[in-house]
Amino acid sequence: MTVRTRFAPSPTGYMHIGGMRTALFNWLWARHHNGTFVLRIDDTDQQRNMSEALGPILAAFRWLGLDWDEGPECEGEFGPSFQSQRRSFYDAALQRLLDSGQAYRDFEPAAETQAQREAAERSQQPFVSSRASLQLSQDQIAEQLAAGTPHVVRLLVPRDRHVTITDHVRGEVTWDCGLMPDPVIARNDGSPLYNFATAVDDAAMQISHVIRAEEHLSNTPIQVLIHEALGQTPPQWAHIPYVAAPGGREKISKRKIDKYRKNPQFSRLFEIGDRILGQIGLDATADALSPVMVAWYEKVGFTPAGVLNGLVRTGWSLDDHTELFSLTEMIEQFTLDRVIRSPAGLDPDRLLSFQSHWITQLPEDDRVSGCLPFLHQSGLIEDPSAAEARQLTAAVIALAGDRLQLFGDILSFRELFVSDDDYPADEQAFEKRVLKKPDTVAHLTALLPQLQQAAFEAEALSALLNSFLEQNSLRPGDIFPALRICVTGKAAGPDLFQTLELLGQQRVISRLESALAKARESAGE
RNA sequence: GGCCCCUUCGUCUAGUUAGGCCUAGGACAUCGGAUUUUCAUUCCGGUAACAGGGGUUCAAAUCCCCUAGGGGUCACCA
């Protein structure tokens, strides 16, 4: 059997991180079996600007490197992939159901049906359809139709039976049809509703496996019934757990951002956004960009491999020890029977840990390309395509080493990019290690002329500074931290000598001079 | 409320289908220690879980029953 999976987003203007995980599982299952992955756009609800609504979704797929075999921009023999363009399929199926008596026109006013529903709820009973319209004769129906009485089409649920599916994740699940209302499958204008369009398309597109979030489990018996009524073989089902908010069991939602900011585990991601997004001209506090959306991860400088590894490990595991998966390895190893049953909270700490790993696996050139947009957008580099820009960035990245967890972290090395003193300085550390240490100031003052003569190369500087220590019977801690603060404004950071080399003689001397002047000024008061 | 699903360290999970290899393993986080001029890394080590109660069995995280808790869904949305 050819495996064909699909992901069917409705164009909402953003890609949800939980939806992305569902898409990934579909994609992996298809690729694992050399099958086909279809992207179908569920836009039966007449939409606004399609490029605005669909663009970010396609962008998320492209960013992560998940390609689709059939879908927007690459329609295949089963297209079109937009449900809004598939009306003829639904019309034909609807007519068949009406003709065979498996669906009926319901002329009961919506308000009346709603009242019955509420009454059932009040009496704590399951609600089933009244089927009053089923009593109408052919003539009466024709009359209503001619009079233009608004109506819907409902599937006639066979109440005397059960629907059982064997779900790849949840095993056997059974529903009693006697407890189900007849679902509306088409509106008054004949336009299809979700469950109907989905069943028609899944069959027409020969989807073999429907892999979707658990919240769709309750839609499944309806879709099974529609498939059966249409004489189609239903696809195989796999209801994967939804992605929960960090540390919880609640479905992660775009509407709960304020709450998430206060979540101790989630807050770590928000802090990253706050630290980085403002510097590249994006509003970190806006709801339009948050860690619930895939775009957020790209904007703060995650690597696709990091996000992918984080996603695949939420709700799925291979065994008791494998944690790292490249996309290729995921394809090789992914199977539905290893999907977990209970909701999995997004785990920011592990996501960051995967990210740390995968960013170091990237070739230098890719890391440079990843960092440059941040430097450009924050104004630290004017022309990111210039060779010098790439060179400098590469040097800073090499120096930063594993301190660069996200591409956006490059912005925390501002002092290495600016020529003047336009960088944040740790005043507290400066006071503690320089202002309050007259001996240190004296030593650094003595060191200055030596630096003016020095060759600015890490090894030479190391030799020079260490012999300076020896000559003055000093320990490293007596002047190295102070020197670092004077030239970078920071109390901690990468190797001091390499930092000095990268900064270059001119910047080191001028920054040291002005720091010492500041110290003398403070001492003179 | 009806229907359906879920419940192992703080978190993500292995182990449940075929009961014993589980005095419950790993990873992340955390805490200690070593290395390092600082920070980060790296390396060692520690704390930490079978929701509760009944059964069945020589033996239960694993099978059965009950209870509790959490969640999803109940649209002429998708």
Side-chain angles (χ1 to χ4, degrees):
Chain A
M1 178 195 57
T2 310
V3 168
R4 290 176 56 87
T5 64
R6 49 77 162 173
F7 181 67
S10 53
T12 52
Y14 72 101
M15 186 64 215
H16 190 275
I17 190 73
M20 200 73 241
R21 205 271 316 247
T22 301
L24 174 64
F25 283 12
N26 273 284
W27 187 88
L28 289 173
W29 185 244
R31 291 287 171 266
H32 181 77
H33 291 284
N34 282 314
T36 303
F37 175 65
V38 180
L39 204 50
R40 185 176 73 215
I41 310 305
D42 282 15
D43 60 346
T44 52
D45 224 27
Q46 292 311 323
Q47 290 294 327
R48 49 258 150 124
N49 185 330
M50 188 51 77
S51 70
E52 229 169 71
L54 183 59
I57 293 172
L58 301 186
F61 275 84
R62 291 201 176 98
W63 178 58
L64 290 176
L66 304 182
D67 53 341
W68 54 97
D69 305 301
E70 296 170 19
E73 298 167 25
C74 59
E75 298 293 354
E77 58 174 309
F78 298 99
S81 54
F82 290 81
Q83 289 193 325
S84 57
Q85 296 166 24
R86 301 177 60 82
R87 180 63 181 271
S88 58
F89 289 88
Y90 314 132
D91 287 348
L94 189 66
Q95 197 54 54
R96 275 168 56 206
L97 256 24
L98 247 12
D99 291 346
S100 67
Q102 288 170 290
Y104 64 97
R105 298 185 192 277
D106 179 11
F107 295 94
E108 190 171 78
E112 166 62 21
T113 308
Q114 182 58 24
Q116 289 169 15
R117 192 189 309 278
E118 282 162 14
E121 172 143 5
R122 251 178 281 120
S123 61
Q124 307 191 0
Q125 290 298 308
F127 166 71
V128 290
S129 304
S130 73
R131 295 186 171 173
S133 297
L134 234 35
Q135 307 307 316
L136 267 29
S137 68
Q138 287 303 326
D139 288 348
Q140 285 171 310
I141 292 173
E143 225 170 87
Q144 296 281 13
L145 251 21
T149 310
H151 68 285
V152 294
V153 176
R154 288 183 189 274
L155 182 76
L156 188 64
V157 171
R159 286 183 183 161
D160 55 343
R161 42 165 298 205
H162 288 75
V163 169
T164 298
I165 60 163
T166 304
D167 190 278
H168 275 94
V169 177
R170 330 206 83 88
E172 281 204 350
V173 185
T174 299
W175 293 267
D176 181 349
C177 296
L179 267 25
M180 276 187 226
D182 295 334
V184 175
I185 57 176
R187 300 181 179 93
N188 186 48
D189 62 2
S191 61
L193 257 48
Y194 169 74
N195 281 125
F196 185 57
T198 298
V200 169
D201 286 340
D202 284 341
M205 296 179 164
Q206 295 181 21
I207 300 303
S208 65
H209 295 77
V210 169
I211 302 167
R212 57 179 14 169
E214 176 193 355
E215 65 221 58
H216 285 286
L217 194 54
S218 51
N219 286 324
T220 309
I222 300 172
Q223 293 180 18
V224 168
L225 254 18
I226 294 171
H227 277 111
E228 290 179 358
L230 255 12
Q232 305 161 352
T233 309
Q236 296 184 46
W237 311 96
H239 286 90
I240 66 178
Y242 56 84
V243 175
R249 297 268 107 132
E250 238 175 277
K251 192 167 70 165
I252 190 168
S253 155
K254 188 181 166 235
R255 282 175 284 280
K256 295 181 181 166
I257 302 300
D258 291 342
K259 187 175 157 192
Y260 295 157
R261 278 192 164 269
K262 296 176 201 132
N263 173 324
Q265 291 176 63
F266 218 155
S267 63
R268 202 169 156 196
L269 291 183
F270 283 97
E271 281 159 20
I272 287 171
D274 293 345
R275 173 156 53 81
I276 293 171
L277 297 177
Q279 294 187 67
I280 56 170
L282 295 170
D283 184 1
T285 60
D287 281 2
L289 191 60
S290 76
V292 174
M293 291 165 234
V294 177
W296 184 91
Y297 297 86
E298 181 182 8
K299 293 294 184 201
V300 301
F302 271 84
T303 271
V307 173
L308 251 9
N309 204 148
L311 287 180
V312 84
R313 283 293 284 106
T314 105
W316 179 83
S317 70
L318 174 64
D319 51 33
D320 63 348
H321 63 277
T322 314
E323 300 289 347
L324 297 171
F325 296 89
S326 67
L327 200 50
T328 317
E329 288 162 335
M330 286 177 210
I331 292 171
E332 219 167 283
Q333 308 285 10
F334 183 82
T335 54
L336 288 173
D337 62 333
R338 298 292 309 175
V339 174
I340 206 72
R341 261 172 279 269
S342 53
L346 186 73
D347 189 336
D349 284 328
R350 312 187 84 224
L351 185 58
L352 254 2
S353 142
F354 289 131
Q355 167 62 19
S356 296
H357 171 78
W358 288 109
I359 197 170
T360 64
Q361 302 298 302
L362 244 36
E364 180 194 281
D365 214 42
D366 289 1
R367 272 186 281 171
V368 172
S369 301
C371 288
L372 279 169
F374 288 88
L375 294 165
H376 179 56
Q377 284 157 33
S378 69
L380 287 174
I381 277 183
E382 244 175 75
D383 178 10
S385 60
E388 313 87 74
R390 286 197 80 91
Q391 216 165 18
L392 172 60
T393 306
V396 174
I397 289 170
L399 180 63
D402 47 44
R403 291 167 193 79
L404 191 85
Q405 188 177 27
L406 305 157
F407 291 133
D409 287 336
I410 196 73
L411 298 178
S412 61
F413 296 93
R414 181 182 184 89
E415 68 278 5
L416 302 178
F417 290 92
V418 295
S419 54
D420 47 21
D421 58 358
D422 180 20
Y423 55 87
D426 185 341
E427 297 298 343
Q428 233 183 329
F430 184 70
E431 187 175 332
K432 181 181 163 202
R433 313 220 73 139
V434 183
L435 295 186
K436 286 190 175 171
K437 295 274 175 65
D439 289 355
T440 303
V441 173
H443 286 126
L444 288 178
T445 308
L447 181 65
L448 198 51
Q450 294 193 32
L451 287 173
Q452 273 159 342
Q453 304 299 319
F456 260 67
E457 189 273 318
E459 264 181 62
L461 287 164
S462 169
L464 177 116
L465 283 162
N466 280 301
S467 76
F468 182 84
L469 290 184
E470 234 173 274
Q471 285 160 23
N472 297 281
S473 314
L474 295 170
R475 285 165 307 170
D478 295 331
I479 61 164
F480 286 0
L483 179 56
R484 178 191 296 281
I485 293 162
C486 289
V487 302
T488 68
K490 288 177 179 168
D495 183 84
L496 179 60
F497 312 116
Q498 287 176 30
T499 302
L500 294 174
E501 177 183 330
L502 197 151
L503 242 20
Q505 191 163 33
Q506 203 186 333
R507 280 193 287 184
V508 168
I509 301 286
S510 101
R511 286 179 185 181
L512 186 54
E513 273 175 345
S514 72
L516 292 174
K518 202 168 149 193
R520 279 192 295 272
E521 196 180 304
S522 150
E525 292 173 346

